[in-house]
Structure formats: C-alpha cells, structure tokens
Amino acid sequence: MWRPVLVVAVVALAGCTGLLAGGDTATSRQAVTPAPVPETTEPAVDLPYADGNVDLDRILDRHAAVLADRNFHRHVEREGPQNTHDVWVDREGGVVRVRQTFGPLNEGVVVADGVEYRNVRDDPDTDYVRAESDGRVPYVSSLSGASVIRGILTAEGYDRLGTVRRGGRPLAVVGSNDTDIPISGADPDQTVAVRSRLYVDRQGVVRYVDHWERRSDGSTMVFVMSVRTGIVRVPVPWWAEDIGLYEESVSGSM
C-alpha cells in the first residue's frame, strides 16, 4: 500500500487582522484563530537555540520529523483575497487529502493506494479523474507545512516569549516583532514591519502560526496555520464517495 509523505495543517492565532490567499468553503479567521492569551506559569517546553536566538530551522525540522509518522490535519488561511488550504493525512490507511480554495473556486485531490483522484470543477458530468500516483501530493510543497512556514517567516531574531496553554497542553511561544525594517530599493512589495508568533508543544509540533506583515506600499498580509494530530481518518469529500477509501465512507461537505 502506498504511504504518503507527511503534511501538516496549521491554524491561525490571534493578534492580527487580515488574511492571504487557498478548499470547499472558506472559513472565517475568527472561527479558527485562538484568542490572545497571557503568559502562564506552565512548565517550560524545551526549544533549540543557535547564536543566542531560537533556532527556527531545527524547530521546523523537528516538526516535520514528528509528523512524518502521525495522522494529522493542517489548516492554513491567508487573506487578500481569501485563500484557505487544508491537508489531511491518514498514515495507517494510506490516505492523503488536500483541499484548497481561492475565493469561490476550490480544488481537491485524494491520494490512496498509489492512485491519485483529482476533483473536476468544470464538468458537471465528471466528479473526478483518476491517474497513477508518482508518490507526490498535488498542491503542497510539504505535508507538514514546514517549507511553507520557512517561506513566510522572514523576520530576524526570533525569541522565546513565554509559555501558554492551548488545547490542554503547554505551548512555547516563539516570536519576533520587527517593526522598523528599512526600505531598500524600489520594490513596492518590500516588507517593512513584521509580527510573528509560533506555538510549539513538548513533542516538537508547531501547533499554531500567526504571522502579520506590512509592505512598503501600505498593504498587509496575514498567514495563520494550525495543526491537529490524532485524527482517525480523512474526511471523504462528496465527489469521492464512490471511491471506497474506507469500508464505511465518511461523507460530508468538508
């Protein structure tokens, strides 16, 4: 049976306004963003350091390694226009599902048992097309989301800000406030201010990411991600109900 490469879903945290661009129906940020939380006296969560700062590369490497043998759901939201991205991974069942939305448009794919099933948007008579899988999962650069996070977190000097409790577990808060980045050149998309927060659990999973930045043209971008481990199986989309991914298909509008 084919075994997918891991991808993680991540959800937004509180603190910023706005979202960037990616599934079936868009989810409002308010529905997925935990409220701001004060620092608590929870036991510390160990983090790797390098040159006096939290080592983000090692955090993300560990995040990807932990998710490599776990079931999980990763959710991402961006804004401007609305965009959401979801990845579900069932390692025992050998099933991976990806759903992404861009405004009213949505795309989806399911990979299982060496076969790729891709949703067809523009043909009312065809729900999906089937092709042999080459082992890669469409629409994602990494199941865990580590590569996506690396591309977003451009600020310098991430520090440990404290420990909070979310979902019944202590999380180390890693962040950077870079609010006076000098403008160089004439790039209208240059980032001039950043506020980033990552929430890491004791096992090394980055449970939440909350990233906001302002560009030199005055526009803003928000990236929020959440990861939930321990899912039993992938929710089967309506267009793939007849594939028979599970003995009792879990249909729904997800």
Side-chain angles (χ1 to χ4, degrees), residues 75-96:
H75 177 77
V76 170
E77 291 190 13
R78 298 189 184 211
E79 180 179 86
Q82 177 87 14
N83 179 303
T84 67
H85 194 91
D86 288 273
V87 177
W88 292 268
V89 176
D90 173 2
R91 298 203 175 278
E92 290 80 6
V95 180
V96 173

Side-chain angles (χ1 to χ4, degrees), residues 63-126:
H63 166 83
V66 172
L67 290 180
D69 60 359
R70 297 198 182 186
N71 293 3
F72 65 89
H73 169 219
R74 178 169 64 90
H75 177 77
V76 170
E77 291 190 13
R78 298 189 184 211
E79 180 179 86
Q82 177 87 14
N83 179 303
T84 67
H85 194 91
D86 288 273
V87 177
W88 292 268
V89 176
D90 173 2
R91 298 203 175 278
E92 290 80 6
V95 180
V96 173
R97 176 190 172 192
V98 179
R99 179 190 66 192
Q100 63 180 18
T101 63
F102 185 79
L105 304 178
N106 65 80
E107 296 179 304
V109 65
V110 171
V111 181
D113 293 330
V115 179
E116 174 187 306
Y117 306 89
R118 195 182 297 241
N119 181 219
V120 176
R121 273 195 292 120
D122 303 322
D123 184 351
D125 298 321
T126 305

Side-chain angles (χ1 to χ4, degrees), residues 15-45:
C16 305
T17 59
L19 291 173
L20 277 180
D24 281 344
T25 57
T27 304
S28 67
R29 181 167 187 243
Q30 290 75 13
V32 299
T33 303
V37 294
E39 183 174 343
T40 72
T41 57
E42 292 287 347
V45 177

Side-chain angles (χ1 to χ4, degrees), residues 143-213:
L143 290 178
S144 69
S147 62
V148 177
I149 300 173
R150 280 192 173 95
I152 291 292
L153 304 184
T154 57
E156 300 291 336
Y158 278 78
D159 298 314
R160 184 187 190 118
L161 304 181
T163 305
V164 298
R165 177 168 286 268
R166 278 288 176 270
R169 59 171 64 90
L171 303 173
V173 184
V174 177
S176 176
N177 288 327
D178 202 349
T179 58
D180 192 19
I181 302 173
I183 297 177
S184 60
D187 184 358
D189 295 328
Q190 180 181 346
T191 298
V192 296
V194 168
R195 179 191 181 277
S196 279
R197 297 290 185 270
L198 288 80
Y199 296 71
V200 187
D201 71 13
R202 286 175 172 168
Q203 297 173 322
V205 177
V206 179
R207 292 287 173 174
Y208 306 101
V209 176
D210 182 10
H211 178 86
W212 170 92
E213 62 183 58

